[in-house]
mmCIF file of all heavy atoms in Angstrom:
data_model
loop_
_atom_site.group_PDB
_atom_site.id
_atom_site.type_symbol
_atom_site.label_atom_id
_atom_site.label_comp_id
_atom_site.label_asym_id
_atom_site.label_seq_id
_atom_site.Cartn_x
_atom_site.Cartn_y
_atom_site.Cartn_z
ATOM 1 N N GLN A 8 30.174 -5.527 36.685
ATOM 2 C CA GLN A 8 30.381 -5.720 35.253
ATOM 3 C C GLN A 8 29.154 -6.364 34.602
ATOM 4 O O GLN A 8 28.497 -7.204 35.195
ATOM 5 C CB GLN A 8 31.591 -6.627 35.009
ATOM 6 C CG GLN A 8 32.882 -6.124 35.631
ATOM 7 C CD GLN A 8 34.053 -7.001 35.255
ATOM 8 O OE1 GLN A 8 34.961 -6.574 34.558
ATOM 9 N NE2 GLN A 8 34.052 -8.243 35.713
ATOM 10 N N ASP A 9 28.880 -5.954 33.354
ATOM 11 C CA ASP A 9 27.811 -6.593 32.588
ATOM 12 C C ASP A 9 28.280 -7.913 32.001
ATOM 13 O O ASP A 9 27.478 -8.786 31.681
ATOM 14 C CB ASP A 9 27.335 -5.663 31.468
ATOM 15 C CG ASP A 9 26.658 -4.413 32.018
ATOM 16 O OD1 ASP A 9 25.748 -4.560 32.851
ATOM 17 O OD2 ASP A 9 27.051 -3.302 31.635
ATOM 18 N N TYR A 10 29.582 -8.075 31.840
ATOM 19 C CA TYR A 10 30.160 -9.328 31.342
ATOM 20 C C TYR A 10 31.607 -9.408 31.829
ATOM 21 O O TYR A 10 32.241 -8.379 32.124
ATOM 22 C CB TYR A 10 30.110 -9.407 29.811
ATOM 23 C CG TYR A 10 30.762 -8.242 29.109
ATOM 24 C CD1 TYR A 10 32.128 -8.234 28.823
ATOM 25 C CD2 TYR A 10 30.003 -7.132 28.732
ATOM 26 C CE1 TYR A 10 32.724 -7.157 28.184
ATOM 27 C CE2 TYR A 10 30.588 -6.049 28.097
ATOM 28 C CZ TYR A 10 31.941 -6.076 27.822
ATOM 29 O OH TYR A 10 32.528 -5.009 27.193
ATOM 30 N N ALA A 11 32.122 -10.611 31.955
ATOM 31 C CA ALA A 11 33.480 -10.816 32.460
ATOM 32 C C ALA A 11 34.491 -10.114 31.554
ATOM 33 O O ALA A 11 34.441 -10.231 30.323
ATOM 34 C CB ALA A 11 33.790 -12.313 32.532
ATOM 35 N N GLY A 12 35.386 -9.373 32.161
ATOM 36 C CA GLY A 12 36.429 -8.684 31.401
ATOM 37 C C GLY A 12 36.021 -7.331 30.864
ATOM 38 O O GLY A 12 36.799 -6.671 30.169
ATOM 39 N N GLN A 13 34.827 -6.876 31.194
ATOM 40 C CA GLN A 13 34.346 -5.590 30.676
ATOM 41 C C GLN A 13 35.277 -4.448 31.062
ATOM 42 O O GLN A 13 35.518 -3.540 30.272
ATOM 43 C CB GLN A 13 32.941 -5.318 31.198
ATOM 44 C CG GLN A 13 32.365 -3.987 30.720
ATOM 45 C CD GLN A 13 31.005 -3.699 31.326
ATOM 46 O OE1 GLN A 13 30.643 -4.273 32.355
ATOM 47 N NE2 GLN A 13 30.230 -2.833 30.698
ATOM 48 N N HIS A 14 35.799 -4.496 32.283
ATOM 49 C CA HIS A 14 36.668 -3.419 32.769
ATOM 50 C C HIS A 14 38.107 -3.908 32.938
ATOM 51 O O HIS A 14 38.777 -3.568 33.911
ATOM 52 C CB HIS A 14 36.128 -2.886 34.103
ATOM 53 C CG HIS A 14 34.798 -2.219 33.994
ATOM 54 N ND1 HIS A 14 34.611 -1.023 33.353
ATOM 55 C CD2 HIS A 14 33.560 -2.601 34.443
ATOM 56 C CE1 HIS A 14 33.328 -0.674 33.417
ATOM 57 N NE2 HIS A 14 32.681 -1.617 34.074
ATOM 58 N N ASN A 33 26.620 -6.512 37.232
ATOM 59 C CA ASN A 33 26.019 -5.175 37.264
ATOM 60 C C ASN A 33 24.509 -5.316 37.437
ATOM 61 O O ASN A 33 23.715 -5.050 36.543
ATOM 62 C CB ASN A 33 26.340 -4.410 35.976
ATOM 63 C CG ASN A 33 25.947 -2.947 36.081
ATOM 64 O OD1 ASN A 33 26.498 -2.218 36.891
ATOM 65 N ND2 ASN A 33 24.993 -2.520 35.274
ATOM 66 N N LYS A 56 22.414 0.204 32.467
ATOM 67 C CA LYS A 56 21.899 -1.167 32.471
ATOM 68 C C LYS A 56 21.029 -1.457 33.696
ATOM 69 O O LYS A 56 20.671 -2.605 33.945
ATOM 70 C CB LYS A 56 23.075 -2.152 32.415
ATOM 71 C CG LYS A 56 23.950 -2.019 31.182
ATOM 72 C CD LYS A 56 23.145 -2.252 29.904
ATOM 73 C CE LYS A 56 23.985 -2.076 28.652
ATOM 74 N NZ LYS A 56 24.978 -3.135 28.481
ATOM 75 N N TYR A 104 31.349 5.640 28.338
ATOM 76 C CA TYR A 104 32.196 4.823 27.471
ATOM 77 C C TYR A 104 32.492 5.569 26.186
ATOM 78 O O TYR A 104 31.606 6.225 25.640
ATOM 79 C CB TYR A 104 31.491 3.512 27.115
ATOM 80 C CG TYR A 104 31.503 2.456 28.170
ATOM 81 C CD1 TYR A 104 30.332 2.128 28.849
ATOM 82 C CD2 TYR A 104 32.664 1.756 28.494
ATOM 83 C CE1 TYR A 104 30.322 1.144 29.822
ATOM 84 C CE2 TYR A 104 32.659 0.766 29.457
ATOM 85 C CZ TYR A 104 31.487 0.461 30.120
ATOM 86 O OH TYR A 104 31.475 -0.524 31.075
#
Side-chain angles (χ1 to χ4, degrees):
Q8 303 185 114
D9 294 308
Y10 55 87
Q13 179 184 20
H14 295 291
N33 190 64
K56 300 300 178 70
Y104 282 109

